[in-house]
Amino acid sequence: MQENEVITDRDNVLFEAGIKLGALYHQFTGSPVNLDTVDSLEKGIQESISVQPCVEKISVSINRDMISSKLNGKYGYCELEGRMLDVHITAIFKTAKVDVSLAFDTELDYPLMKIEKIY
Amino acid sequence: MQENEVITDRDNVLFEAGIKLGALYHQFTGSPVNLDTVDSLEKGIQESISVQPCVEKISVSINRDMISSKLNGKYGYCELEGRMLDVHITAIFKTAKVDVSLAFDTELDYPLMKIEKIY
Amino acid sequence: MQENEVITDRDNVLFEAGIKLGALYHQFTGSPVNLDTVDSLEKGIQESISVQPCVEKISVSINRDMISSKLNGKYGYCELEGRMLDVHITAIFKTAKVDVSLAFDTELDYPLMKIEKIY
Amino acid sequence: MQENEVITDRDNVLFEAGIKLGALYHQFTGSPVNLDTVDSLEKGIQESISVQPCVEKISVSINRDMISSKLNGKYGYCELEGRMLDVHITAIFKTAKVDVSLAFDTELDYPLMKIEKIY
């Protein structure tokens, strides 16, 4: 019988980093936003996710150009979409540390979550 | 046969006010929060919902005491719950204007949405 | 001084109907979906919102054509968007009853919430 | 200077598995539910997350006892909370495969996400 693999700090930090990105995305996409309020939404999201376990550093930036192009003349706002988000998180778990990101991939036409660096 | 009722501005403003409270509640409850980040979450929520149609004024306040009592020693954060929210919205639709609120009702043990005033 | 208006059952039922639509929209948009799973998402949403106060009847239908056109070859799923939703709710509050809807308005290019009928 | 670590399939599968759990949790907690509708909510959640990349298998179970104990006599429903969820996901990424879970940890009083097995 094959042994179960030992779970390392590296395994855990990558798992935790994934949780943060999935949480951020599905908690906050759909939020109403326009160019006057994008600053406070960015800050609200960034600080909210920063309190979760294993988050050492987080930056959240929302693409203003995409908001502009979505603004409906009649209504003057749009919804936060995953493709508008540019997020960088540094996560730590005991001895392990990683950088992960969420950014719109124009080739794939998809808001891609990616492991950027394992320290 | 009974005629369908004419839909008035008053009808519409109450419908719109309800939409805002339902949206706010289900968009943002679940957000991670602690006492260091509650300010930016409040502001982010308030400004986000302010851009929606018919919102003339909105104030969002999150109960710090409830956050404190929920804080888990090990993790140092909790999730935003509906009962923590105190929200006041003034909505307008053409000639009609109303105040509505979301506040925790201790007797009902329920985060109650209510029409406060019809102008 | 002008008296505050008396709040009627009709006022309350419209407020409650709005809450339901706002809640549904912001709770469930963003959910991953494809043509194989759209049935269970529809049913899950419909039954979830049906348990809320004042909901007498609710039907939720998700536009399959919009899902098809969004499906990304590489990933095979998309996210539920507000524009995909067609929702009809009959709400009651004591003596008052209304029909409201959420449906994509092609002219406005906007997922419109509307009062359909006041009984 | 230390080289950046090579990113392995094992790293990616753990990252992906974390994303799924974070997404599920923050998409669906807050959904109205009672004992009559819990079946369709479970199925809706399970099928929704099943369409995301790298999900080989997923089971979602919602704790009926916790729902019962939360039911408010007056309102007859409650909201889906993280602690009610018991989720098992098997994720695959190329050569790598893992089992992860979300389950309420009574000792920590916390809905814990955990790596269960690395194949």
Side-chain angles (χ1 to χ4, degrees):
Chain A
M1 195 187 112
Q2 202 192 342
E3 293 293 308
N4 190 6
E5 294 279 338
V6 172
I7 297 166
T8 67
D9 292 350
R10 175 172 170 153
D11 294 329
N12 272 305
V13 79
L14 286 159
F15 179 59
E16 289 290 337
I19 293 169
K20 279 12 132 196
L21 287 181
L24 185 156
Y25 193 104
H26 286 270
Q27 180 65 56
F28 294 107
T29 58
S31 302
V33 68
N34 69 18
L35 294 173
D36 294 329
T37 64
V38 62
D39 285 357
S40 66
L41 187 60
E42 266 178 5
K43 195 178 175 201
I45 295 173
Q46 185 173 294
E47 294 207 349
S48 175
I49 300 300
S50 77
V51 304
Q52 288 200 307
C54 306
V55 178
E56 189 184 61
K57 215 164 57 184
I58 176 170
S59 74
V60 173
S61 154
I62 300 172
N63 190 310
R64 268 81 176 157
D65 290 344
M66 287 190 194
I67 294 179
S68 291
S69 74
K70 283 274 170 181
L71 285 183
N72 183 314
K74 189 167 166 56
Y75 293 105
Y77 78 100
C78 62
E79 289 174 22
L80 181 65
E81 298 179 14
R83 59 201 290 132
M84 296 174 182
L85 284 164
D86 193 87
V87 177
H88 292 264
I89 295 177
T90 300
I92 46 173
F93 186 95
K94 293 182 184 164
T95 66
K97 180 166 161 176
V98 294
D99 291 345
V100 299
S101 67
L102 159 61
F104 184 60
D105 185 307
T106 49
E107 242 173 81
L108 295 172
D109 188 32
Y110 189 79
L112 197 64
M113 298 184 187
K114 205 159 70 173
I115 304 171
E116 293 288 348
K117 183 175 179 174
I118 300 177
Y119 291 85
Chain B
M1 194 186 112
Q2 204 192 342
E3 293 294 306
N4 189 5
E5 295 280 339
V6 172
I7 297 167
T8 66
D9 292 350
R10 175 172 170 153
D11 295 328
N12 272 305
V13 78
L14 286 159
F15 179 59
E16 289 291 336
I19 292 170
K20 276 16 125 190
L21 287 181
L24 185 156
Y25 193 102
H26 287 270
Q27 181 64 56
F28 293 108
T29 57
S31 301
V33 67
N34 68 19
L35 293 174
D36 294 330
T37 64
V38 63
D39 285 355
S40 65
L41 187 60
E42 264 177 3
K43 195 178 175 198
I45 295 173
Q46 186 173 294
E47 294 207 349
S48 175
I49 299 300
S50 77
V51 305
Q52 288 201 307
C54 307
V55 179
E56 189 184 63
K57 216 165 56 184
I58 176 170
S59 73
V60 174
S61 155
I62 300 172
N63 190 311
R64 269 80 175 157
D65 290 344
M66 287 190 194
I67 294 180
S68 291
S69 74
K70 283 273 171 180
L71 285 182
N72 183 313
K74 190 168 167 54
Y75 292 104
Y77 77 102
C78 63
E79 290 174 22
L80 181 64
E81 299 178 14
R83 60 199 291 132
M84 296 174 182
L85 284 163
D86 192 86
V87 177
H88 292 265
I89 295 177
T90 300
I92 46 172
F93 186 95
K94 294 183 185 164
T95 65
K97 181 166 160 175
V98 294
D99 292 345
V100 299
S101 67
L102 159 60
F104 184 60
D105 185 308
T106 48
E107 240 173 82
L108 295 172
D109 189 30
Y110 188 79
L112 196 65
M113 299 185 187
K114 204 159 71 174
I115 304 172
E116 293 287 350
K117 182 175 180 175
I118 300 178
Y119 290 85
Chain C
M1 196 188 110
Q2 204 193 341
E3 292 293 306
N4 189 6
E5 294 279 340
V6 172
I7 297 166
T8 65
D9 291 352
R10 174 172 172 153
D11 295 328
N12 272 305
V13 79
L14 286 159
F15 178 60
E16 290 291 335
I19 292 169
K20 280 9 133 196
L21 286 182
L24 185 156
Y25 193 104
H26 287 271
Q27 180 64 56
F28 294 108
T29 58
S31 300
V33 68
N34 68 19
L35 294 173
D36 294 330
T37 64
V38 62
D39 285 356
S40 66
L41 187 59
E42 265 177 2
K43 195 178 175 200
I45 294 173
Q46 186 174 295
E47 295 208 349
S48 174
I49 299 299
S50 77
V51 303
Q52 288 200 307
C54 307
V55 178
E56 189 184 63
K57 213 164 58 184
I58 175 170
S59 73
V60 174
S61 155
I62 300 172
N63 191 310
R64 269 79 174 158
D65 291 343
M66 287 191 195
I67 294 179
S68 291
S69 74
K70 284 273 170 181
L71 285 182
N72 183 315
K74 190 170 167 54
Y75 293 104
Y77 78 101
C78 63
E79 290 174 22
L80 180 65
E81 299 179 14
R83 59 198 295 131
M84 296 173 182
L85 284 164
D86 193 85
V87 177
H88 292 264
I89 294 176
T90 300
I92 45 171
F93 185 95
K94 296 180 184 166
T95 64
K97 179 165 161 176
V98 294
D99 291 347
V100 299
S101 67
L102 159 61
F104 184 60
D105 185 306
T106 48
E107 241 173 80
L108 295 173
D109 189 31
Y110 187 80
L112 197 64
M113 299 183 187
K114 207 160 68 176
I115 304 170
E116 293 289 347
K117 183 174 179 176
I118 300 177
Y119 291 84
Chain D
M1 194 187 112
Q2 203 192 342
E3 293 294 307
N4 189 5
E5 294 279 340
V6 172
I7 297 166
T8 67
D9 291 352
R10 173 172 172 153
D11 295 328
N12 272 306
V13 79
L14 286 159
F15 179 59
E16 289 291 337
I19 292 169
K20 278 13 132 196
L21 286 182
L24 185 155
Y25 193 103
H26 287 271
Q27 181 65 56
F28 294 107
T29 57
S31 300
V33 68
N34 67 20
L35 293 173
D36 293 330
T37 64
V38 61
D39 286 357
S40 66
L41 187 60
E42 266 177 2
K43 195 177 175 202
I45 295 173
Q46 186 173 295
E47 294 207 349
S48 175
I49 299 300
S50 77
V51 304
Q52 289 201 305
C54 306
V55 178
E56 189 183 63
K57 214 165 54 183
I58 176 170
S59 73
V60 174
S61 156
I62 299 173
N63 190 311
R64 269 82 174 154
D65 291 343
M66 287 192 196
I67 294 179
S68 291
S69 74
K70 284 273 170 181
L71 284 183
N72 184 315
K74 189 167 168 56
Y75 293 105
Y77 77 101
C78 63
E79 291 174 20
L80 180 65
E81 299 179 14
R83 58 199 293 133
M84 295 173 182
L85 284 163
D86 192 86
V87 177
H88 292 264
I89 295 176
T90 301
I92 45 171
F93 186 96
K94 294 181 184 167
T95 65
K97 181 166 161 176
V98 294
D99 291 345
V100 298
S101 67
L102 159 60
F104 184 60
D105 185 308
T106 48
E107 240 173 82
L108 294 173
D109 188 31
Y110 188 80
L112 197 65
M113 299 184 186
K114 206 159 69 175
I115 304 171
E116 293 288 348
K117 181 174 179 176
I118 300 177
Y119 290 84

